[in-house]
Amino acid sequence: MITFGTAATTLLLTVQQQWHPAAAVVAVMLGVLGIAKTLYAALTGHPAPRRRM
């Protein structure tokens, strides 16, 4: 399982210097989405709905 910290660190280390601000924004958005999904599951008692592809 990949954690948020691992994904954010990898993202910031692999992009070029000029893309660091954009990578930081993406990392924060991913973190917020992960927190929202966990909070939804905790408050409702149900897992968050999955998107079908």
Side-chain angles (χ1 to χ4, degrees):
M1 174 181 254
I2 298 174
T3 65
F4 168 71
T6 303
T9 302
T10 302
L11 183 62
L12 290 170
L13 290 175
T14 56
V15 297
Q16 294 179 2
Q17 185 71 27
Q18 73 256 21
W19 293 106
H20 276 198
V25 169
V26 169
V28 168
M29 287 174 36
L30 291 173
V32 169
L33 291 175
I35 291 167
K37 184 176 178 181
T38 303
L39 185 60
Y40 174 85
L43 292 175
T44 63
H46 302 294
R50 291 181 162 232
R51 290 178 36 184
R52 292 185 180 188
M53 291 188 192

